[in-house]
Amino acid sequence: MRYLGGLIVFIAFGCGNSAEHVLNKHYQSLGDISEVTNIVAKADCTGPDGTYQTITKSSTQDDYLLFLQKYDYKPNPFYALIKTKEKGYGLDSSLTAQGPLSNAVIAVLKAHEFHEMMMQPDQRYFGLKQLEDTSFFDQRCHQLIGSDHLGLPVRLFFDKKTNLMAGIAQANPYKKGEIICVHFEDWQYSNEFPIFNRVNIWQGKKDHYVLDYKKIVFNHPEFEKLQIEEK
């Protein structure tokens, strides 16, 4: 894997206007996802502190996200509801609102919508331009550079053979200068469209996370947005 320490600096050399071409190739390889309105995903995870479980319930039509994490190494779970990129709430175990979340926390939680990220890159990231081809987790990729909704720089990677999105490198909103590299792995092609079942994450150069997805459901028949009383 090649770490992207230069992510904060927008490199002028090699920039072009063919980002749209790279994105179009990605969407062609992905197939018709126009009917997907929600995604429910459940992953068994490992990180520096131990094992945990992450559940996300997302709408692909807006910013709604219900985020649930339960840990094997500490007693209290973490629940949150995101309504927009500027409005979110921490929840208790009964899914009652406990207080608002900062925009940085919302951004971190929204960054766990990995499948939606892969399916809607041009809706989640802005000002995308193409840079020179590169290696990402030893995978030869086209790369695009742009920014997220906080204005922080990101790089998107697209496999040169399949044209599918291979992952992302993004600035950590909590730690200036730290890069989070996210690689999509264990792709399956027997479904309606290609989908990955594992996410490999390096945060900085030391903290390593792996999410193994045990359930990914598109258009879950029981999907319903949680309604809470806002404080």
Side-chain angles (χ1 to χ4, degrees):
M1 172 189 167
R2 175 176 158 188
Y3 285 102
L4 301 168
L7 178 63
I8 304 302
V9 179
F10 284 82
I11 302 174
F13 300 106
C15 287
N17 296 318
S18 52
E20 185 176 356
H21 177 74
V22 174
L23 291 168
N24 286 340
K25 287 289 189 181
H26 165 66
Y27 285 123
Q28 290 171 14
S29 297
L30 189 58
D32 185 9
I33 57 172
S34 61
E35 299 301 319
V36 177
T37 60
N38 67 73
I39 305 172
V40 176
K42 178 179 179 181
D44 291 339
C45 314
T46 59
D49 297 321
T51 58
Y52 58 102
Q53 183 182 85
T54 300
I55 298 173
T56 55
K57 300 181 180 182
S58 304
S59 166
T60 63
Q61 299 177 313
D62 55 28
D63 293 325
Y64 175 90
L65 166 66
L66 181 62
F67 181 90
L68 313 171
Q69 272 188 345
K70 299 178 181 180
Y71 312 96
D72 294 333
Y73 51 89
K74 59 182 180 180
N76 296 325
F78 177 78
Y79 299 158
L81 173 66
I82 308 303
K83 302 189 76 172
T84 72
K85 291 185 177 72
E86 292 78 33
K87 183 181 290 186
Y89 301 90
L91 306 175
D92 63 16
S93 57
S94 64
L95 303 183
T96 300
Q98 297 300 296
L101 301 174
S102 69
N103 286 351
V105 171
I106 291 173
V108 169
L109 300 182
K110 290 287 291 178
H112 284 76
E113 294 176 309
F114 299 111
H115 296 93
E116 185 173 339
M117 182 189 303
M118 183 272 293
M119 294 168 65
Q120 300 179 333
D122 58 345
Q123 296 182 41
R124 296 180 70 104
Y125 307 107
F126 310 98
L128 293 170
K129 295 182 179 180
Q130 187 174 13
L131 296 181
E132 70 281 358
D133 294 347
T134 189
S135 292
F136 185 64
F137 285 79
D138 298 322
Q139 189 173 357
R140 289 301 296 172
C141 293
H142 301 297
Q143 66 169 323
L144 306 182
I145 193 165
S147 61
D148 64 12
H149 74 277
L150 294 178
L152 297 174
V154 298
R155 293 195 190 194
L156 312 183
F157 301 91
F158 297 83
D159 182 83
K160 293 187 67 174
K161 293 181 179 179
T162 67
N163 294 312
L164 292 166
M165 188 174 175
I168 182 173
Q170 57 192 23
N172 186 345
Y174 283 120
K175 189 172 182 180
K176 186 176 181 179
E178 183 174 82
I179 306 304
I180 301 173
C181 294
V182 179
H183 190 226
F184 306 146
E185 301 176 351
D186 189 22
W187 285 83
Q188 301 295 320
Y189 299 90
S190 58
N191 300 314
E192 186 175 355
F193 43 81
I195 200 69
F196 55 87
N197 289 296
R198 180 181 301 114
V199 174
N200 189 3
I201 303 172
W202 282 95
Q203 181 174 319
K205 295 186 178 181
K206 295 188 299 182
D207 291 339
H208 184 215
Y209 301 83
V210 176
L211 284 71
D212 282 310
Y213 283 90
K214 304 305 178 183
K215 180 173 74 172
I216 306 168
V217 181
F218 300 96
N219 295 330
H220 196 292
E222 298 180 3
F223 181 88
E224 184 177 352
K225 291 183 178 180
L226 176 67
Q227 302 298 323
I228 62 170
E229 182 178 348
E230 300 181 15
K231 295 185 177 181

